[in-house]
Amino acid sequence: MDERIVPTRIRLEASSACQLRCPSCPTTTGDTKDVVGKGVLSPENFEALLVANPGLREIELSNWGEIFVNPRIEEILEIAHRRGVELFCDNGANLNNVRDSALEAMVKYGLRRLMCSIDGVTQEVYAQYRVRGHVDTVIANIRRINELKRLHGSPYPALMCQFIVFGHNEHELPAARALAAELGMKFFPKLSWDPEHSPVHDEESVMQATGLPAVTRDGYRKKTGQPYLAGICKQLWLAPQINWDGKVLGCCRNFWQEFGGNAFVDGLEEVLNGEKISYARRMLLGAEPPREGIPCTTCELYLQRRDDRHWIRIQPVPATAKAAGA
């Protein structure tokens, strides 16, 4: 019998809408429109979810959109603070259009971490991927957050800088790292999931500048024997992804098929232990074969795991997985 998931941490998207048009992003290409859709989390649904699930302690708010597009993000931050739930924006925000009241709410209500995507330090370079974005606006907003942290005497949010490496911005890696340090941000270089868009030119220089063993995700898999961002699959256990409207997506990578049920209508614990998502967990453990109708079946991360027989190892392991030797 499967171990029942009783979530203490989930991913719950605050907004699937975004004002930028990053070329490789499924939100830009329209690939997310059928399942994820375009909308924002309501404070009413958010608070009802917390009331019904008092064991929830941590929630990630970002995924396919920009959390600050949500016109009521300040209310969501306040509700979580009042109920003792820690919020994160680790997947990333672009910080191009954000109200000062939202910046202050992040500090006042203790958003724990904020990852900001800054893929260039000059406007010419930054805007090649962050189309419609303005890097000076982003930097000004980060400086404002730091000012508010000083005014409120708060360490939150901890600031992180994500730099997706491309051929057009690789020469700005050292300057981006220096800028992040100046702004009090941890620097995280990241490999693009689209190797065809602006591929890296000087591989050795990029690997030296990033500390990564490769410049593409496929190259990373070949060198390390593991998929890049392999931990995403563990989200089905440790931090399941719920869409802004309550649909169950399972992980942050899935935008093409839901698992069924609605967390706001059917109950969070009920939908996270539904038949399809429970079967998907067993697939990732290597205890079941792929099956039509399960989102993981067509996911490149699962297909790589299957080809490499690199199955998830996680505790507690369901009995079916133990029997299969996963």
Side-chain angles (χ1 to χ4, degrees):
M1 178 178 290
D2 296 337
E3 294 284 350
R4 189 168 179 83
I5 299 296
V6 182
T8 59
R9 176 177 172 84
I10 63 170
R11 304 174 62 88
L12 177 62
E13 180 149 53
S15 169
S16 64
C18 185
Q19 78 280 48
L20 301 191
R21 294 294 181 267
C22 306
S24 297
C25 179
T27 302
T28 297
T29 60
D31 290 334
T32 62
K33 65 182 177 62
D34 290 339
V35 174
V36 174
K38 184 178 180 180
V40 299
L41 173 67
S42 75
E44 292 79 12
N45 280 338
F46 181 66
E47 185 153 30
L49 190 74
L50 299 190
V51 170
N53 299 274
L56 282 177
R57 302 267 52 94
E58 300 180 0
I59 298 177
E60 166 65 41
L61 291 177
S62 58
N63 197 27
W64 292 113
E66 170 73 358
I67 70 171
F68 300 109
V69 170
N70 189 323
R72 301 176 70 185
I73 191 66
E74 295 95 330
E75 295 175 64
I76 289 169
L77 292 166
E78 187 277 329
I79 290 167
H81 176 74
R82 174 162 39 87
R83 293 195 167 275
V85 176
E86 296 184 352
L87 299 182
F88 300 80
C89 182
D90 285 345
N91 203 54
N94 64 64
L95 279 184
N96 270 273
N97 301 87
V98 53
R99 300 174 298 280
D100 195 69
S101 60
L103 296 177
E104 185 159 19
M106 278 195 293
V107 176
K108 181 179 179 180
Y109 299 125
L111 178 75
R112 286 309 191 255
R113 284 194 301 268
L114 174 67
M115 177 78 81
C116 185
S117 303
I118 310 177
D119 314 308
V121 299
T122 61
Q123 178 61 19
E124 179 184 7
V125 170
Y126 174 83
Q128 287 190 53
Y129 191 70
R130 303 291 165 182
V131 177
R132 296 185 181 178
H134 299 276
V135 71
D136 288 346
T137 299
V138 176
I139 293 171
N141 283 329
I142 293 168
R143 294 192 190 282
R144 175 59 175 160
I145 292 170
N146 282 326
E147 178 186 15
L148 289 165
K149 287 168 69 173
R150 287 191 293 271
L151 289 173
H152 287 273
S154 173
Y156 302 119
L159 297 172
M160 302 181 292
C161 173
Q162 175 181 274
F163 187 102
I164 301 179
V165 184
F166 297 103
H168 67 262
N169 68 5
E170 61 186 85
H171 64 288
E172 290 198 345
L173 266 164
R177 188 182 292 274
L179 176 64
E182 177 194 339
L183 295 171
M185 309 175 81
K186 290 186 177 180
F187 187 69
F188 289 90
K190 185 177 181 180
L191 300 180
S192 171
W193 72 352
D194 181 2
E196 303 301 320
H197 180 81
S198 188
V200 164
H201 303 296
D202 188 340
E203 295 189 6
E204 289 300 323
S205 175
V206 167
M207 286 190 288
Q208 183 176 2
T210 62
L212 295 170
V215 299
T216 66
R217 297 190 178 194
D218 186 56
Y220 181 95
R221 176 189 171 206
K222 290 176 179 176
K223 284 194 175 183
T224 67
Q226 297 188 38
Y228 187 69
L229 302 180
I232 286 176
C233 299
K234 292 185 179 180
Q235 290 174 6
L236 271 71
W237 286 266
L238 304 178
Q241 179 73 52
I242 305 298
N243 203 36
W244 61 272
D245 57 1
K247 292 175 184 173
V248 182
L249 301 179
C251 76
C252 67
R253 179 71 179 87
N254 176 29
F255 56 79
W256 54 89
Q257 188 177 13
E258 57 184 299
F259 280 99
N262 187 291
F264 301 146
V265 176
D266 305 312
L268 180 64
E269 191 173 332
E270 184 66 24
V271 297
L272 293 182
N273 291 282
E275 191 277 330
K276 286 187 176 181
I277 195 167
S278 296
Y279 188 92
R281 292 188 189 106
R282 296 197 298 274
M283 281 174 54
L284 291 166
L285 291 165
E288 297 282 4
R291 191 183 87 187
E292 187 176 353
I294 304 295
C296 304
T297 297
T298 56
C299 177
E300 63 181 10
L301 291 179
Y302 170 75
L303 294 174
Q304 289 173 2
R305 288 189 181 281
R306 184 194 62 183
D307 292 346
D308 298 342
R309 299 197 61 77
H310 185 264
W311 303 117
I312 291 285
R313 294 183 181 273
I314 196 164
Q315 295 293 335
V317 178
T320 50
K322 291 176 182 176

